[in-house]
Amino acid sequence: MNILVTGASGRIGSYVLGRFADECNAVGVDLKPCPIKDLKDLVVQGDLRNYEFVREIVRGVDVVIHLAAQVSVENSWNDPVYDAENNVIATINLLKACSDYGTDRFVYISSAAVYGNPKYVPIDEEHPKSPISPYGVSKLAGEYYCRVFSDRIHTVIVRPFNVFSARMDPNNPYSGVIAKFISIVKRKLLPVIYGDGKQTRDFVHIRDVVDFVEIALKRGENGETYNVGTGKEISILELAEIIMDIAGINGKPVFDKSRPGDIRRSCADISKAKKLGFEPKTDLRRDLEEIFEQID
Ligand code: UD2
């Protein structure tokens, strides 16, 4: 099977490419070179906004797993046109080329950002979609394009919640709270919590996300959307306490003003993914202990 992984240098894409690299004829594409030594030679650099390039890389491919995206909520406000070009136009280019070539399967990695501020938790796939950033809008637009193209190619949409892994660069603003907290406590400083720390998130380990991408590829139904998370929520204060405990730091986190537009609660309803056989194995404490050793 020939697989193309877009966004293969990224924080989810590199793991997805790594999973398929041994079993399949897998190649990646990304704007940037892949930082992972073993995968570097498998990743072609190129711009998915360029339709001619997209046609070239899609030719002969059986499956596309599309993760390439502008992923920063903040950047999407600074440059919403760049965000839309990378998240919408690039997705359309791929879908069009795939349908022209008769690609077997297309898996689109969306985001929980499409839900906006949850009206209820856990959030199921039918929850109203009401994005609160240009990024959320562009990811949702990508989903809608996938759905209309599902008349022509088999498309499956995956909505990850808060993904964490060892490949999170704490200096990169896209990396999220876990990388930041680990990096801070490793320098013997106290983590800074925005707001009261009672906001919650569903943190899912990359291993589970990659497992589910594989399931979605094999068994996901055409035109269907699946959440991927753990179904468990934890507050940011509890998260800070666990990470401080792992680091052996006594004391309390520092509280700062809350981040504008911060979502209060987030937790995935993963019943639909479970029906396909998904069983998340994330064990937050254990996985944080492991990642703690790997992040600087
Ligand atoms: C996640 C995604 C984002 C977008 C969004 C949509 C990540 C890394 N980001 O943003 O791309 O999809 O969901 O809803 O997955 N916090 C602190 N102190 C810090 C850093 C963060 O208190 O030093 C808080 C922050 O205010 C928030 C929580 O931690 O309440 C999680 O923040 P995040 O940036 O890791 O992720 P999130 O859910 O805002």
Side-chain angles (χ1 to χ4, degrees):
M1 185 164 62
N2 296 327
I3 295 194
L4 175 70
V5 177
T6 76
S9 303
R11 65 190 180 105
I12 302 180
S14 60
Y15 285 96
V16 172
L17 180 61
R19 170 69 59 93
F20 292 107
D22 293 337
E23 305 161 20
C24 311
N25 187 15
V27 290
V29 60
D30 205 294
L31 279 172
K32 298 187 202 131
C34 185
I36 311 303
K37 208 170 118 241
D38 293 348
L39 301 175
K40 217 168 55 204
D41 295 341
L42 293 178
V43 180
V44 178
Q45 267 179 266
D47 193 336
L48 301 174
R49 291 170 293 180
N50 174 346
Y51 185 63
E52 289 315 309
F53 172 71
V54 170
R55 277 185 72 85
E56 244 173 70
I57 53 162
V58 164
R59 196 185 310 127
V61 162
D62 303 308
V63 166
V64 172
I65 303 175
H66 178 36
L67 298 108
Q70 188 300 113
V71 294
S72 158
V73 171
E74 202 182 322
N75 284 354
S76 78
W77 282 110
N78 297 338
D79 196 345
V81 172
Y82 179 84
D83 177 82
E85 284 171 354
N86 281 278
N87 295 0
V88 185
I89 305 298
T91 303
I92 300 172
N93 281 344
L94 281 163
L95 287 165
K96 167 121 182 27
C98 287
S99 68
D100 286 354
Y101 283 125
T103 308
D104 288 344
R105 299 239 159 179
F106 189 91
V107 180
Y108 174 68
I109 311 304
S110 181
S111 166
V114 300
Y115 295 117
N117 256 316
K119 302 211 172 347
Y120 57 84
V121 286
I123 303 166
D124 57 19
E125 290 82 355
E126 299 311 313
H127 183 285
K129 266 58 81 185
S130 189
I132 53 170
S133 65
Y135 168 74
V137 172
S138 64
K139 292 305 285 185
L140 185 57
E143 289 193 9
Y144 284 135
Y145 277 101
C146 289
R147 280 170 58 177
V148 291
F149 271 85
S150 66
D151 274 353
R152 299 176 179 196
I153 42 169
H154 189 113
T155 63
V156 181
I157 298 160
V158 178
R159 292 187 189 132
F161 278 62
N162 286 64
V163 183
F164 69 102
S165 75
R167 278 180 211 156
M168 301 182 299
D169 173 2
N171 302 313
N172 184 330
Y174 313 156
S175 283
V177 64
I178 290 183
K180 274 196 180 174
F181 281 1
I182 291 180
S183 160
I184 285 173
V185 299
K186 279 198 152 184
R187 285 182 275 133
K188 302 285 174 217
L189 299 169
L190 295 167
V192 179
I193 291 183
Y194 304 140
D196 61 7
K198 290 188 185 145
Q199 68 268 40
T200 64
R201 293 294 184 272
D202 180 339
F203 292 104
V204 58
H205 191 278
I206 187 69
R207 203 186 317 105
D208 284 331
V209 177
V210 177
D211 281 352
F212 187 68
V213 168
E214 194 169 355
I215 291 172
L217 171 63
K218 290 180 177 153
R219 298 196 285 279
E221 284 187 37
N222 186 23
E224 290 296 322
T225 305
Y226 302 88
N227 285 338
V228 60
T230 63
K232 295 179 194 149
E233 61 183 322
I234 178 172
S235 74
I236 299 303
L237 177 58
E238 283 173 89
L239 176 76
E241 285 168 351
I242 296 173
I243 293 176
M244 286 167 71
D245 188 47
I246 293 171
I249 290 185
N250 289 319
K252 295 219 174 306
V254 176
F255 289 87
D256 200 347
K257 61 178 187 318
S258 52
R259 223 166 48 175
D262 212 17
I263 283 168
R264 192 67 184 158
R265 285 182 74 188
S266 179
C267 181
D269 181 330
I270 53 168
S271 325
K272 199 170 163 186
K274 282 186 158 179
K275 284 192 192 127
L276 293 184
F278 176 59
E279 228 12 276
K281 297 180 189 69
T282 301
D283 174 331
L284 195 58
R285 167 99 201 188
R286 182 204 61 202
D287 295 334
L288 287 173
E289 279 172 5
E290 188 188 295
I291 283 171
F292 188 84
E293 301 304 324
Q294 296 161 351
I295 289 185
D296 290 332

